[in-house]
Amino acid sequence: MEPDKKILLKVRNLKQWFPVNSLLLEKKKYVKAVNDVSFDLYEGETLGIAGESGCGKSTLIRSCLRLLKPTDGSIEFDGQEIANKKLRALRPIRKDMQIIFQDPYASLDGRWKVGRLLEEPMIINKICSSKKERKEKVNELLEAVSISQEYINRFPHEFSGGQRQRIAIASALATDPKLIVCDEPVSALDVSVRAQVLNLLRDLQVSRKLTYIFVSHDMSVIEYICDRVAIMYLGKIVEIGSRKAIFEESAHPYTKALLSAVPKVSGEKNAERIILEGDIPSPVDPPSGCVFRTRCKYATEKCACEEPKMCDLGDGHMAACHLIGKA
Ligand code: SF4
């Protein structure tokens, strides 16, 4: 795929299933939130994970960060297998993987002033050897996210939404991580400040050699910030490729439908809007064969009995559909 680049995160056949309680315990049932997902994340890139609500994006990143114990599969981070590591063994690795949430209010402890908030991850991870060193690093982090050092004694509620998200980013940077997972980081912000936060993330990626996984349901945000994109549907990646491959040469019927709903700002004419019929099926009882078949206008008998394999379209562009490869 990309032979020159180092793989930072290698995920293979990952499953994250949750048991469903039932009074009639004839057969144990599971919500298959992530079901047999594989992908590579290269150092220095931004990989977008896109799809409708409930497709498994958030569960996937929580499994990859080992905030959940995977049901099955392999997660190799920076050369170490972490899928089955115990919590204690994960501790030294955690500082290299950080997450930024959609709602900075929820992720920042409102009882603490900004200076303390930024010092805390350093204290937990024993990053600086002295208090003076920590203070200097707090100042450097504030400068990196363009928050004035005068605000060091303010509480999170004294900032705007955009400023709070900048503080959350500074907090994620406090441990000098290799990977930052951004979980819908601009969805709760005013449209006017979204681009500022996205540009900040981009600048920090270059200056600090960061690797991002960027989760969003908003395809225009994904197009703006991501180098590669994975499209998820009902717990599976159905297509993955470069931004150009996904946005200009998408191959999977679901990706095409998702993109047809995105308005073009360039003045280019939108392709015909594809309306998806019906609801997303339950992840407890996903359709046989292709998981998308109940909403796909091209579905055939084969789609009901055979799960499509990922088909290589070249340059790391892959999609799972029986139609691909047929003229
Ligand atoms: Fe549609 Fe069949 Fe392709 Fe699935 S495999 S996306 S049902 S054509």
Side-chain angles (χ1 to χ4, degrees), residues 191 218-221 223-224 247 259-271:
V191 175
D218 185 335
M219 294 303 285
S220 48
V221 169
E223 186 175 17
Y224 186 73
F247 283 88
L259 291 175
S260 78
V262 183
K264 293 243 188 313
V265 282
S266 58
E268 231 176 284
K269 209 168 165 261
N270 248 21

Side-chain angles (χ1 to χ4, degrees), residues 15-214:
K15 290 182 182 168
Q16 190 71 61
W17 293 5
F18 302 102
V20 181
N21 288 334
S22 164
L23 291 175
L24 306 163
L25 284 172
E26 286 172 343
K27 195 178 167 208
K28 227 174 180 181
K29 290 199 163 187
Y30 295 89
V31 172
K32 295 171 180 169
V34 173
N35 199 11
D36 204 4
V37 163
S38 300
F39 67 93
D40 292 329
L41 174 70
Y42 298 98
E43 221 170 46
E45 75 167 347
T46 300
L47 174 69
I49 301 190
E52 294 164 288
S53 299
C55 69
K57 315 185 282 290
S58 292
T59 307
L60 173 62
I61 54 165
R62 279 160 180 74
S63 305
C64 290
L65 294 178
R66 275 303 318 273
L67 299 175
L68 295 168
K69 169 103 176 60
T71 309
D72 199 9
S74 152
I75 305 166
E76 204 179 296
F77 176 72
D78 205 17
Q80 286 191 65
E81 178 57 54
I82 61 167
N84 294 307
K85 271 202 193 302
K86 299 242 159 48
L87 287 180
R88 183 186 283 264
L90 280 171
R91 242 177 247 159
I93 301 161
R94 289 232 189 269
K95 76 172 186 44
D96 287 330
M97 322 164 97
Q98 295 292 329
I99 185 164
I100 300 165
F101 294 101
Q102 176 177 354
D103 179 4
Y105 238 143
S107 57
L108 298 173
D109 192 326
R111 298 165 303 171
W112 286 352
K113 293 174 181 170
V114 168
R116 178 69 211 273
L117 278 170
L118 299 187
E119 268 190 74
E120 186 65 7
M122 296 181 225
I123 296 168
I124 292 172
N125 292 287
K126 301 183 177 72
I127 301 275
C128 296
S129 52
S130 67
K131 195 161 182 170
K132 182 173 170 276
E133 218 181 298
R134 275 204 306 274
K135 297 277 180 217
E136 282 169 7
K137 188 155 172 112
V138 166
N139 288 338
E140 185 257 316
L141 288 170
L142 286 174
E143 197 183 331
V145 299
S146 303
I147 297 278
S148 169
Q149 289 168 14
E150 290 168 27
Y151 299 158
I152 204 160
N153 287 318
R154 291 197 181 177
F155 291 97
H157 72 264
E158 296 179 81
F159 293 91
S160 68
Q163 286 173 320
R164 275 199 297 272
Q165 196 57 295
R166 284 170 186 272
I167 295 163
I169 293 169
S171 170
L173 293 173
T175 60
D176 298 320
K178 293 178 179 166
L179 167 66
I180 297 188
V181 172
C182 308
D183 188 5
E184 304 265 10
V186 295
S187 309
L189 302 179
D190 286 348
V191 175
S192 57
V193 295
R194 279 185 194 175
Q196 291 170 17
V197 172
L198 291 175
N199 290 338
L200 172 67
L201 286 169
R202 216 184 232 176
D203 293 345
L204 291 168
Q205 180 170 43
V206 175
S207 60
R208 293 175 181 251
K209 298 188 171 52
L210 294 166
T211 305
Y212 293 144
I213 294 181
F214 198 99

Side-chain angles (χ1 to χ4, degrees), residues 290-310:
C290 173
V291 283
F292 186 55
R293 72 174 169 83
T294 52
R295 300 171 82 197
C296 180
K297 64 178 178 181
Y298 306 108
T300 62
E301 256 176 53
K302 186 179 180 186
C303 304
C305 45
E306 197 181 308
E307 185 176 350
K309 291 194 172 58
M310 273 290 186

